């Protein structure tokens, strides 16, 4: 019972922070709302026997990625954003489509559940020998460095390529012209 | 000592929540015109998909799902680094990151 109450509370915070992110007119506030949302998801990971992923979620997402977001927002001075769009018909259409998609998802969901199609999901396997070690850093590491060793090494190459790409995309041109000078010479 | 069974919520609830968060992220992508906020909404969608992965991994007691989430997080970090570099580059040349104003690629 207490698990349901905790789940409901954290789920409420997650949904409210997601809606807050959608509606805020300040990009910094939106980023902070997203941090709350990511921490809520880390708590869900804890509830789903994934402590390793919860810690990775907090360090990588709420830490590194959101710091990068905040850094770019402040660097560009793009804090103030408007909700207005040049396409007047788009916002109502998007909301209508979202409501239709929510309705369709839940209809499908309850239909499948009523017909017992999601039987593996309904009962949680409660074999203590399995659940005790499931999702521990040891168990995850064993699979990560066993069956997934090659993909794991390839993500290292991927990160290197991304680092080089980000440097090349954001560097100044070889002439060493500053941004302001180049903007002036373009005009 | 609290009984651990009291804390167990069936994973189907997590899957439902991940659906809601995914749709909220989708609405964000459709509604917002600021490239950085669209990016944040994409992160929200990626996270909801990760939550569904972990929920299914829990219900099938299969650790492969958790390893996959680890890879999704790595790729998301790469995507954010390159994407934000692109946004900075666009802002330098156009002085704006409002996607409505970026019609220079129109045919």
């Amino acid at each position: 019972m207490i698990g349901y109450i905790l789940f409901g509370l954290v789920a409420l915070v997650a949904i409210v922070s997601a809606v807050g992110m959608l509606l805020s007119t300040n990009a910094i506030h939106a980023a902070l709302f997203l941090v709350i949302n990511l921490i809520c998801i880390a708590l869900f990971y804890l509830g789903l026997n994934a402590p390793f992923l919860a810690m990775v979620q907090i360090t990588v997402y709420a830490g590194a990625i959101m710091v990068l977001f905040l850094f770019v927002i402040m660097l560009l001075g793009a804090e103030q954003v408007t909700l207005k769009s040049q396409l007047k018909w788009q916002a109502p259409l998007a909301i209508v489509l979202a409501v239709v998609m929510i309705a369709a998802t839940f209809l499908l969901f309850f239909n499948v559940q009523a017909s017992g199609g999601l039987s593996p999901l309904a009962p949680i396997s409660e074999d203590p020998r399995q659940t005790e070690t499931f999702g521990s850093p040891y168990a995850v590491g064993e699979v990560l460095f066993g069956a997934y060793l090659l993909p794991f090494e390839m993500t290292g190459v991927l990160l290197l390529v991304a680092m080089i790409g980000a440097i090349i995309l954001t560097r100044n041109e070889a002439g060493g012209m500053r941004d302001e000078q180049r903007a002036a010479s373009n005009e | 000592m609290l009984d651990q069974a009291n804390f167990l919520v069936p994973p189907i609830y997590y899957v439902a929540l991940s659906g809601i968060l995914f749709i909220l992220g989708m609405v964000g992508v459709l509604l917002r015109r600021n490239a950085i906020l669209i990016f944040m909404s994409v992160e929200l969608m990626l996270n909801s998909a990760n939550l569904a992965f972990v929920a299914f991994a829990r219900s099938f007691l299969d650790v492969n799902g958790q390893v996959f989430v680890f890879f999704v997080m790595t790729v998301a970090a790469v995507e954010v680094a390159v994407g934000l570099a692109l946004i900075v580059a666009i802002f330098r040349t156009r002085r704006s990151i409002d996607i409505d104003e970026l019609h220079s690629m129109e045919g």
Side-chain angles (χ1 to χ4, degrees), chain A residues 148-164, chain B residues 70-71 74-75 78:
Chain A
Y148 290 95
L149 185 60
L150 182 64
F152 181 78
E153 299 292 342
M154 279 164 67
T155 53
V157 178
L158 186 68
L159 284 167
L160 180 70
V161 170
M163 191 175 75
I164 296 171
Chain B
F70 180 80
F71 285 120
T74 320
V75 174
V78 168

Side-chain angles (χ1 to χ4, degrees), chain A residues 3 22 24 57 61 81 170, chain B residues 6 32 34 43 47 50 92:
Chain A
L22 294 188
S24 67
Q57 170 89 1
Y61 259 114
V81 291
T170 52
Chain B
N6 280 338
R32 303 313 296 257
N34 184 295
E43 291 303 311
N47 264 283
N50 278 351
R92 278 183 174 171

Side-chain angles (χ1 to χ4, degrees), chain A residues 1-4 6-7 11 14-15 18-19 21-25 27 30-31 34 37-38 41 44-45 47-50 52-53 56-57 61 65 68-69 72-73 76 78 81-87 90-91 94-95 98 101-102 105-106 109 113 118 120-122 124-126 130-131 134-135 140 143-144 148 151-152 155 158-159 162 166 169-172 179 182, chain B residues 2 4-17 19-34 36-37 39-41 43-44 46-48 50-51 54-82 84-89 91-93 95 97-98 100-101 103:
Chain A
M1 194 60 216
I2 190 167
Y4 285 92
L6 285 174
F7 175 79
I15 291 173
V19 172
M21 189 196 84
L22 294 188
L23 297 180
S24 67
T25 52
L34 187 55
N37 191 280
L38 298 177
I41 289 179
F44 290 139
Y45 288 170
L48 285 167
N49 281 36
F52 172 69
L53 283 180
V56 172
Q57 170 89 1
Y61 259 114
I65 291 183
L68 203 59
F69 265 110
V72 169
I73 292 169
L76 301 184
V81 291
T82 55
L83 279 166
K84 289 207 178 68
S85 170
Q86 290 173 6
L87 302 171
Q90 199 199 7
I95 290 170
M101 187 161 167
I102 289 175
T105 309
F106 274 77
F109 199 72
Q113 217 186 7
L118 283 176
L121 275 176
I124 311 170
S125 168
E126 284 318 325
Q130 277 190 304
T131 53
F134 174 73
V140 175
V143 178
L144 192 59
Y148 290 95
F152 181 78
T155 53
L158 186 68
L159 284 167
L169 278 172
T170 52
R171 76 174 174 166
N172 283 328
D179 284 350
R182 199 167 58 216
Chain B
L2 283 164
Q4 206 208 344
N6 280 338
F7 287 95
L8 289 173
V9 178
I12 192 86
Y13 288 89
Y14 291 96
V15 177
L17 180 74
I20 294 171
L21 289 177
F22 188 88
I23 291 167
L24 284 174
M26 194 190 72
V27 173
V29 171
L30 290 175
L31 280 186
R32 303 313 296 257
R33 301 292 87 194
N34 184 295
I36 291 181
L37 281 164
F39 222 167
M40 285 190 211
S41 302
E43 291 303 311
L44 187 62
L46 272 173
N47 264 283
S48 71
N50 278 351
L51 184 60
V54 177
F56 280 113
R58 175 69 182 84
S59 76
F60 291 102
L61 283 181
D62 187 348
V63 85
N64 285 313
Q66 294 194 6
V67 173
F68 204 88
V69 168
F70 180 80
F71 285 120
V72 172
M73 281 179 182
T74 320
V75 174
V78 168
E79 174 229 326
V80 166
V82 175
L84 287 177
L86 275 173
I87 288 177
V88 170
F91 186 81
R92 278 183 174 171
T93 51
R95 291 280 137 200
I97 46 169
D98 192 314
D100 276 348
E101 291 172 21
H103 359 201

